[in-house]
Amino acid sequence: MNIGIVGLGLIGGSLGLDLLASSQGHNYVWGISRNPDTCKQAEAIAAVNIADIDIENIPDRILAQTDIVVICTPIASILSTITLIAPKLPANVIFTDVGSVKSAIVEPASKICQQFNQRFVGSHTMAGTAFQGISAAEKDLFQNRPCVVTPSNDIAAVEKVRSLWQSVGMNVFECSPEEHDRAVAIISHAPVMISASLIAACQAEGDQTVLKLAQNLASSGFRDTSRVGGGNPELGRLMAEYNQSAVLRSLHTYQQSLQEVISLIENKQWEELEAFLANTQRDRSFYVD
Ligand code: NAP
């Protein structure tokens, strides 16, 4: 396949690495990113065959053979990026994205693509690390991780996008943009805010001796609970901004749970607290191994 990747950061760079490593020469990958050094680095680590900051500098014969373009820029620039590059690409090309929200993207992106007789299928690759940029790109990032694709009347386009993600090891689920946004608010977007609030609450300790001691004693448990709160701030802001109502709904539900725990502790209801924790111990297995 001939694949374009726009936005050569953690997700775009990692995708390019896997597409070129696994294809035994069957994939050709061209890339676009904002920063010329990023383009050079992406070529140097073999995340792309060719990359440039301007689509005009990617040869026409390469663009003309493109099957799929994957937009891996921050959420706020996904639609403007499609608008910018769609006129340079052939009719029938399939666009997809990896953005962490889907309702704000799928319908407007589909409309832009229709103007050029092109197709759009939304995706969200549920894989990441706390790092960003091309230097954070890593092989096998997507292996055995879930990926969402959104439905379309264009069944062939959905199947092609599904195959792309399966080729890098992802487990693909199909759901509407609205269902996606509510589900990821619960397990991804609200947890970023909760984990960030935990870090902020630790830093609010006023006794400098205790604060320093806490920082020295923090170990694997704190590493787990603080990981997503210590990630890319721009990504966290965009999750809340573009998925506001679902994120607020999840945070209010969380607030009720936390209030319940506070009441149990204030009232010394130790048996009830243990029962609450026994339920959460059991229920965690519904989400992760
Ligand atoms: P990232 O590491 O910051 O990579 C994005 C890259 O896009 C930047 O490094 C930047 O590269 C480039 N870029 C920014 N604006 C651009 C533009 N207008 N045109 C072309 N290139 C542009 O971020 P990421 O974590 O890969 O996230 C990218 C997308 O993946 C987001 O939409 C996010 O919602 C989604 N996502 C992220 C995760 C995660 O955990 N990180 C998981 C799933 C999905 P240069 O400036 O260096 O050229």
Side-chain angles (χ1 to χ4, degrees):
M1 276 208 293
N2 178 321
I3 302 144
I5 301 177
V6 185
L8 296 168
L10 167 68
I11 301 293
S14 300
L15 176 62
L17 285 175
D18 282 356
L19 287 173
L20 287 184
S22 67
S23 72
Q24 295 164 337
H26 294 309
N27 287 334
Y28 185 91
V29 180
W30 57 266
I32 296 175
S33 215
R34 254 182 336 192
N35 183 334
D37 288 339
T38 301
C39 296
K40 279 191 205 128
Q41 206 180 330
E43 287 176 349
I45 63 171
V48 291
N49 295 102
I50 181 176
D52 202 281
I53 56 167
D54 190 345
I55 194 168
E56 298 284 357
N57 295 328
I58 306 287
D60 286 344
R61 65 184 160 74
I62 292 173
L63 296 180
Q65 288 168 21
T66 305
D67 299 293
I68 299 187
V69 179
V70 188
I71 309 294
C72 301
T73 65
I75 297 166
S77 45
I78 290 174
L79 295 176
S80 58
T81 299
I82 298 174
T83 304
L84 190 72
I85 67 172
K88 319 279 178 207
L89 290 160
N92 265 328
V93 78
I94 299 167
F95 277 93
T96 189
D97 73 310
V98 296
S100 311
V101 300
K102 294 275 68 78
S103 301
I105 290 171
V106 172
E107 203 185 315
S110 303
K111 283 192 177 143
I112 299 166
C113 291
Q114 273 163 17
Q115 288 171 28
F116 300 94
N117 290 321
Q118 296 162 342
R119 286 101 57 85
F120 183 84
V121 175
S123 304
H124 179 195
T125 47
M126 303 286 302
T129 69
F131 305 106
Q132 61 196 95
I134 188 68
S135 54
E138 56 182 73
K139 276 197 182 128
D140 295 330
L141 181 72
F142 306 105
Q143 202 64 40
N144 288 323
R145 300 285 175 204
C147 177
V148 163
V149 297
T150 60
S152 156
N153 292 334
D154 190 338
I155 309 286
V158 175
E159 281 313 306
K160 214 152 185 185
V161 172
R162 181 188 285 271
S163 305
L164 175 82
W165 297 123
Q166 285 171 336
S167 78
V168 294
M170 301 203 88
N171 304 321
V172 178
F173 297 84
E174 195 171 319
C175 66
S176 72
E178 295 74 23
E179 289 166 335
H180 164 275
D181 287 358
R182 285 185 61 181
V184 295
I186 299 171
I187 51 81
S188 174
H189 299 175
V192 167
M193 307 308 152
I194 293 163
S195 173
S197 305
L198 173 71
I199 298 169
C202 293
Q203 288 297 98
E205 170 56 54
D207 182 326
Q208 287 305 307
T209 308
V210 173
L211 179 62
K212 193 75 202 145
L213 183 61
Q215 289 168 350
N216 286 332
L217 296 182
S219 187
S220 50
F222 191 77
R223 183 175 299 280
D224 290 345
T225 51
S226 66
R227 184 178 72 79
V228 294
N232 181 346
E234 183 191 11
L235 181 56
R237 173 228 158 122
L238 292 171
M239 288 169 171
E241 191 178 336
Y242 284 81
N243 198 15
Q244 187 191 22
S245 63
V247 171
L248 279 177
R249 180 202 286 242
S250 299
L251 287 175
H252 285 308
T253 306
Y254 171 71
Q255 201 172 31
Q256 281 167 16
S257 268
L258 190 59
Q259 193 50 56
E260 193 184 332
V261 169
I262 291 171
S263 297
L264 292 175
I265 296 173
E266 278 174 348
N267 297 319
K268 302 185 180 175
Q269 291 175 277
W270 309 127
E271 303 259 311
E272 288 82 352
L273 179 64
E274 188 173 336
F276 177 90
L277 294 173
N279 284 342
T280 57
Q281 183 187 45
R282 180 200 62 212
D283 294 347
R284 184 172 185 264
S285 65
F286 296 137
Y287 299 86
V288 286
D289 298 335

